[in-house]
Amino acid sequence: MQRLITKWGPKKVRLATFIVSGGLTVWFMLTLYFAIKFYLDLQKITIITM
């Protein structure tokens, strides 16, 4: 990790970290959204069949 910082410089490393964390946040949000959507659809189906 330290060698990467000296090779790229702190500004590039910070940018890369920001991009990675941003990407992870987006994936987390999407997963959460689809999980909730799927759960609600499942409940609707259960209510209809009952």
Side-chain angles (χ1 to χ4, degrees), residues 8 11-27:
W8 282 11
K11 207 170 273 184
K12 264 191 184 172
V13 170
R14 199 175 295 139
L15 187 69
T17 317
F18 176 72
I19 289 166
V20 167
S21 59
L24 285 176
T25 309
V26 168
W27 274 114

Side-chain angles (χ1 to χ4, degrees), residues 23-47:
L24 285 176
T25 309
V26 168
W27 274 114
F28 179 71
M29 290 292 213
L30 278 173
T31 310
L32 204 65
Y33 171 74
F34 279 114
I36 291 166
K37 196 176 182 309
F38 179 71
Y39 178 70
L40 289 176
D41 284 351
L42 212 65
Q43 280 194 322
K44 270 188 210 148
I45 291 162
T46 314
I47 289 162

